[in-house]
Amino acid sequence: ANIETAAELDSVLKYGAEGVGLFRSEFDYFRQNAKPDEEMLFKSYRHLLATLDPLPVTIRTLDVGGDKFVEQLHSGALRLDLERNPALGLRSIRYTLHEQAVFITQLRAMLRASVHGRLRILFPMISSQGEFDRVMEIFNMVKDDLAREAVDFAREVEIGIMVEVPSAVVMADILAGGVDFFSIGTNDMIQYSLAIDRGNEYVAHMYEPLHPAVLRMIKQTVDAGHARGIEVGICGEMAGDVIAVPVLLGLGLDELSMRPSALPFVKRLLRHSNSRQLHDLGSRVLQCSDGPEVRSFLGAYLPQTYPEEFGLDHE
Ligand code: PEP
Ligand code: MG
């Protein structure tokens, strides 16, 4: 499941998730008009991890800027300059590498919480190996500090990156060598690959998750990850879009993470799927020339393959 606050833990369990594939950690930063301290973040992460233990909880480091929390960033505790083009600006991992004290505090809190459950750490918006190396330098320094202070933390925390910038897709074979898993962020991947501002109403109709360019990028990322023996998941909205799910499974994704209420229907689709058919579907859609062609193909394929789920009654 994808969640943003601990209040959603009930629905994670109720809808039968097998873990949290994406905890968007931003909310703790905007609850009050002051940066959260290490203790507050530690308690928040410990609660998540302990509640779901032994299920994995994937906590993403602070992903602000772009279209997220811009108002609060400009006026609140974090303070950022107004940017002409925020989606291409100081957002996400770029922000935390720029404001390292904020980053270090969050990493310390996560590592301290790691002994209370199964933590996976996810770094957003990585766009090059050098950038990821800088992240790991800081992460290793934080671990050394905690060890020196004799603070307990889990040594085997899994590390992943979000693949959501086109350069990360192109370099996925190299990036896969340094991580334990990939998580594809299709919300941003679509925006950056199709050059569509995801919040702009004038071009919203061009925001097409099933664009073959997007599907090919997903496939490239999956293949690069698998060649290095790592799992590749997807945590963008597309993972909970029932039309897209069979396609994603056909492209070889190992894990889907979505809003909790989408889980039961997606599980049902999975149970009624056949891996050989899915594989053929994946190959078929990769040959389509544009999004409408993929949609029209699926319009016939889905009711035929999943008559109960996509029969005439299904809207
Ligand atoms: C994404 O980009 O697909 C994603 C899951 O992250 P967010 O929507 O929080 O940017
Ligand atoms: Mg994103």
Side-chain angles (χ1 to χ4, degrees):
N2 289 355
I3 60 169
E4 303 185 355
T5 68
E8 290 167 279
L9 283 172
D10 283 349
S11 50
V12 170
L13 296 169
K14 178 172 129 198
Y15 290 114
E18 287 169 15
V20 167
L22 172 63
F23 174 66
R24 293 184 161 101
S25 66
E26 290 79 38
F27 278 91
D28 281 332
Y29 290 79
F30 301 107
R31 265 191 239 285
Q32 65 249 0
N33 203 11
K35 284 180 209 163
D37 62 15
E38 184 181 317
E39 203 53 28
M40 189 229 143
L41 292 174
F42 162 67
K43 286 184 180 147
S44 159
Y45 303 153
R46 181 182 61 186
H47 176 60
L48 284 178
L49 288 160
T51 308
L52 292 183
D53 190 41
L55 300 177
V57 176
T58 312
I59 304 182
R60 181 177 70 184
T61 62
L62 187 61
D63 187 8
V64 287
D67 58 351
K68 288 184 206 145
F69 301 100
V70 257
E71 301 293 314
Q72 293 94 323
L73 275 181
H74 298 323
S75 58
L78 295 179
R79 290 221 162 273
L80 252 189
D81 292 339
L82 275 173
E83 296 175 301
R84 193 194 286 259
N85 205 344
L88 304 181
L90 189 64
R91 60 165 294 207
S92 195
I93 201 73
R94 301 166 182 184
Y95 173 80
T96 43
L97 286 173
H98 181 76
E99 294 288 336
Q100 286 191 16
V102 173
F103 197 29
I104 289 169
T105 301
Q106 187 178 33
L107 292 173
R108 283 180 63 95
M110 285 184 189
L111 281 168
R112 282 177 56 201
S114 64
V115 292
H116 296 280
R118 190 168 151 217
L119 171 67
R120 305 200 307 171
I121 299 180
L122 182 57
F123 296 107
M125 222 190 153
I126 296 295
S127 63
S128 71
Q129 181 66 47
E131 187 176 48
F132 180 65
D133 291 344
R134 282 211 288 144
V135 166
M136 288 311 284
E137 257 170 50
I138 295 171
F139 183 62
N140 288 329
M141 186 193 78
V142 169
K143 285 207 286 195
D144 290 347
D145 286 349
L146 289 174
R148 228 184 346 262
E149 295 163 31
V151 175
D152 210 11
F153 62 91
R155 309 282 149 159
E156 68 291 350
V157 171
E158 282 177 60
I159 297 296
I161 59 170
M162 290 201 58
V163 177
E164 51 186 344
V165 178
S167 60
V169 177
V170 176
M171 302 306 290
D173 57 330
I174 308 272
L175 289 166
V179 297
D180 300 307
F181 66 97
F182 279 156
S183 186
I184 302 179
T186 42
N187 304 339
D188 276 311
M189 185 193 271
I190 297 162
Q191 126 162 305
Y192 291 128
S193 59
L194 303 182
I196 301 298
D197 175 349
R198 64 188 199 174
N200 182 324
E201 59 182 300
Y202 296 108
V203 290
H205 64 282
M206 294 169 74
Y207 186 91
E208 173 54 282
L210 292 171
H211 193 303
V214 174
L215 303 180
R216 288 179 182 207
M217 289 175 96
I218 293 173
K219 179 75 164 92
Q220 189 177 338
T221 308
V222 168
D223 288 349
H226 288 175
R228 288 281 193 158
I230 66 168
E231 290 202 344
V232 183
I234 177 165
C235 63
E237 303 306 321
M238 210 176 156
D241 173 352
V242 294
I243 306 285
V245 164
V247 172
L248 295 175
L249 296 171
L251 296 177
L253 268 304
D254 303 298
E255 185 183 284
L256 305 175
S257 192
M258 64 202 74
R259 71 198 141 74
S261 61
L263 283 159
F265 192 80
V266 169
K267 282 191 165 197
R268 190 177 148 156
L269 273 182
L270 253 166
R271 279 196 297 269
H272 291 177
S273 294
N274 155 317
S275 57
R276 167 130 211 109
Q277 266 179 351
L278 289 174
H279 181 265
D280 291 347
L281 170 66
S283 310
R284 173 68 181 82
V285 291
L286 288 174
Q287 298 313 314
C288 289
S289 57
D290 60 13
E293 190 185 333
V294 176
R295 285 191 185 271
S296 112
F297 175 75
L298 291 174
Y301 177 92
L302 293 174
Q304 207 172 47
T305 315
Y306 301 93
E308 282 179 39
E309 290 78 12
F310 292 100
L312 290 179
D313 296 342
H314 185 80
E315 277 298 284

